[in-house]
């Protein structure tokens, strides 16, 4: 088993707590499904938000979906002029039995434009 990093992102339509929780939950679930992972395989998750998202922490959504025993951290993305707004990103660290090139990264909603080479 090797620890691998899995990237993902989603874009919100509005900065509202319920919507943030919905999109964050969807992103985490899609990362787990795409990589055939149980929550037991997760080592940690780092979430970032663009500076325009302030309604709540993505980690709070992850805790609410049952990841309370997984170390979670939130940070603010760099405020680059012209960058895609209302984006939650994650970097999940997980125990995987696949080569790095076979890790499935997940980009949802408007965030698909961030990595067209990896988006679903």
């Amino acid at each position: 088993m090797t620890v691998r990093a899995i990237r993902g992102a989603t874009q919100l339509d509005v900065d509202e707590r319920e919507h943030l929780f919905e999109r964050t939950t969807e992103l985490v679930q899609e990362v787990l499904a795409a990589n055939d992972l149980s929550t037991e395989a997760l080592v940690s998750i780092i979430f970032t938000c663009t500076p325009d998202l302030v309604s709540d922490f993505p980690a709070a959504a992850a805790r609410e979906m049952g990841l309370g025993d997984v170390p979670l951290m939130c940070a603010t993305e760099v405020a680059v002029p012209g960058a895609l707004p209302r984006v939650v990103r994650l970097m999940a660290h997980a125990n995987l039995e696949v080569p790095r090139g076979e890790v499935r990264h997940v980009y949802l909603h408007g965030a698909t434009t961030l990595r067209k080479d990896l988006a679903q």
Side-chain angles (χ1 to χ4, degrees):
M1 215 42 89
T2 302
V3 174
R4 299 282 185 214
I6 308 166
R7 290 290 319 270
T10 190
Q11 186 179 37
L12 280 62
D13 298 325
V14 293
D15 181 26
E16 294 175 353
R17 183 181 188 273
E18 184 176 310
H19 187 55
L20 174 78
F21 275 44
E22 175 187 300
R23 290 282 170 98
T24 301
T25 299
E26 177 189 32
L27 178 60
V28 172
Q29 288 173 340
E30 289 292 325
V31 164
L32 293 172
N35 290 283
D36 195 27
L37 287 175
S38 71
T39 58
E40 289 298 313
L42 290 172
V43 174
S44 64
I45 303 175
I46 300 169
F47 293 96
T48 65
C49 291
T50 50
D52 52 0
L53 293 178
V54 296
S55 61
D56 210 329
F57 300 100
R63 281 191 295 276
E64 190 173 274
M65 64 181 287
L67 300 181
D69 62 344
V70 176
L72 306 169
M73 180 182 228
C74 293
T76 304
E77 255 327 296
V78 177
V80 175
L84 191 64
R86 300 177 316 279
V87 175
V88 173
R89 292 173 173 86
L90 70 71
M91 183 179 301
H93 301 95
N95 292 307
L96 293 171
E97 293 186 18
V98 299
R100 185 178 6 236
E102 292 180 25
V103 172
R104 302 279 316 230
H105 306 282
V106 176
Y107 292 81
L108 304 173
H109 305 287
T112 58
T113 63
L114 297 172
R115 291 294 304 265
K116 292 178 183 173
D117 58 323
L118 299 176
Q120 286 60 57

